[in-house]
Amino acid sequence: MQEDRRVLIAGGGPVGLFCALLLGRQGIPVRVFDANPDLQDDPRAATTHPATLEVLDEAGLVDDLIAAGLVAPIFQFWDRPTNTKVAEFDHAILKDDTKFPFVVQTEQFKTSRIIMKRLLALPNVEVLFNHAVTHVTQDAGSVTVTVESHGKTSTHKGAYLIGADGGRSTVRKQCEIAFEGFTWEERFLVLTTPFDFAANRGFCYRTYIADPAEWCNCFKVAADGPPGLWRTVFPTDTSLSEEQVMSDEAVQTRLQTFFPLDRPYEIVHRNLYTTHQRVAATFRKGRVLLAGDSAHVNNSIGGMGLNGGLQDAANVSEKLSKVILGGGGDDLLELYSLQRRTVSIEFVQAQSIANKKRLEARDAETRQKNFAELSETAADPAKAREFLLKASMISMQRRAASITGPDSI
Ligand SMILES: Cc1cc2nc3c(=O)[nH]c(=O)nc-3n(C[C@H](O)[C@H](O)[C@H](O)COP(=O)(O)OP(=O)(O)OC[C@H]3O[C@@H](n4cnc5c(N)ncnc54)[C@H](O)[C@@H]3O)c2cc1C
């Protein structure tokens, strides 16, 4: 019976779809449920790091991703009060560590579309939109989900369930898995504009700007083709309401204060995000596995959330395929949880928090220390390589691969 081998996936975001592709290609029957009527078009993740490009390359997706995005070998740190460039890092130094010594700036919805196009060629994979998973039960041999679609309820049985249903994961909650960590008080405001920060300000495609009063990330995406769009990310004042932060006047003032201009900015998107640092207490409960934002969330400085999720997808799909097709026992699923949860905490959580603290540091001494460290690191090839191995998530993937059991942590 198909059910004996079927993998159910809650969530048709990029992580759920990538799991479906990798499992589907092994001939495993897969059914994906997504609560939305269609693929998300939310402009969230943009940066795909070298370690993830390697994973996508193995899946034959990297050429499409590069064609849809911008190749960005360099990133910079600036100091806003003095308007100076503090440090510049070039991924070229990783040429012996990776086939991809650069990041690719491709919007998340494009990545999903690239994967979806491949999924359509797999008759053993079903993607059901407008299907929200509401309940999860499991026994020794199977897992069952209850799904709501257009006011009707149905149940679906499978051998395993992957919860890739985002930060508010119903699957995680149904399995009573704690989501440990905290939520930042301030929210992150993203304003997208065609204003060219490279030509007018000398910024590169990924620019991090430190400021004790209001940090900013500024990066470029390809959008619908040249000339592309620039996204600026700011922290918000916690005393202001969403309406106050998002009004036309407020967003113009914010951009004009940061980057004065003799005319109003054209703003094509404005989005406000609550930001968390949380990791699930386990990525596996019996026949249920968590991947992507359902397993871990972090602030977007450094662009690591989806990267981590796509790496989870590759890891869990490889192990689950072995378990289902023969070639590995359930202990592989425990290893998935151990490897990915450990690196989520050691790398993504630690780095994204450190990245934020570096940009927002208020104390003059700390700021000077940060800047000295960054410029010394950038100037020293050995230190720069170490720094970039972490930023590019290569160290994280190497660490995950080195974990063979609880004793190796
Ligand atoms: C401003 C911003 C910038 C970012 N930039 C980057 C970046 O540069 N690089 C990076 O790596 N990451 C970045 N991220 C993080 C990235 O967006 C997330 O990590 C990514 O969306 C996670 O993908 P996912 O598939 O796990 O979850 P999601 O994209 O959240 O997808 C979850 C899917 O599950 C569906 N769903 C939810 N509940 C149910 C249910 N009950 N039943 C069925 N379906 C359900 C939803 O409809 C959705 O389609 C950024 C995030 C933000 C906010």
Side-chain angles (χ1 to χ4, degrees), residues 9-17 33-36 38-40 42-49 105 108 131-134 164-171 188 190 219 231 233 273-275 291-294 296-300 302-309 393:
I9 300 179
V15 173
L17 294 177
F33 307 97
D34 197 282
N36 279 343
D38 206 340
L39 290 180
Q40 311 166 47
D42 188 2
R44 286 193 277 168
T47 303
T48 308
H49 288 290
Q105 300 279 106
Q108 170 165 342
H131 282 66
V133 172
T134 56
D165 50 344
R168 295 182 191 157
S169 173
T170 300
V171 172
F188 284 23
V190 183
F219 53 98
R231 286 202 208 155
V233 187
Y273 297 97
T274 303
T275 304
D293 275 17
S294 75
H296 45 74
V297 286
N298 55 276
N299 81 68
S300 61
M304 294 183 157
L306 177 56
N307 279 271
M393 303 176 87

Side-chain angles (χ1 to χ4, degrees), residues 19-76:
C19 289
L21 182 67
L22 297 175
L23 292 164
R25 280 178 173 169
Q26 298 297 319
I28 295 168
V30 178
R31 188 171 291 163
V32 181
F33 307 97
D34 197 282
N36 279 343
D38 206 340
L39 290 180
Q40 311 166 47
D41 55 7
D42 188 2
R44 286 193 277 168
T47 303
T48 308
H49 288 290
T52 315
L53 293 173
E54 287 175 13
V55 165
L56 295 172
D57 186 37
E58 270 181 42
L61 301 174
V62 88
D63 292 341
D64 284 5
L65 194 87
I66 290 173
L70 299 172
V71 170
I74 287 170
F75 66 98
Q76 298 172 343

Side-chain angles (χ1 to χ4, degrees), residues 291-345:
D293 275 17
S294 75
H296 45 74
V297 286
N298 55 276
N299 81 68
S300 61
I301 306 171
M304 294 183 157
L306 177 56
N307 279 271
L310 293 172
Q311 294 166 16
D312 293 344
N315 190 317
V316 75
S317 301
E318 189 196 353
K319 292 183 169 67
L320 199 48
S321 297
K322 283 188 183 150
V323 173
I324 292 171
L325 301 175
D330 261 18
D331 52 334
L332 277 180
L333 304 181
E334 209 46 47
L335 183 60
Y336 160 69
S337 178
L338 193 64
Q339 288 180 333
R340 296 307 304 173
R341 185 170 180 277
T342 304
V343 295
S344 254
I345 295 168

Side-chain angles (χ1 to χ4, degrees), residues 220-263:
K220 189 172 182 183
V221 290
D224 294 330
L229 293 172
W230 287 79
R231 286 202 208 155
T232 55
V233 187
F234 302 93
T236 60
D237 181 339
T238 53
S239 66
L240 299 179
S241 67
E242 179 163 348
E243 290 68 35
Q244 286 170 316
V245 170
M246 299 286 265
S247 73
D248 287 345
E249 195 191 337
V251 296
Q252 282 297 334
T253 306
R254 191 179 285 266
L255 280 174
Q256 291 286 356
T257 310
F258 216 104
F259 312 108
L261 189 64
D262 57 3
R263 58 189 183 280

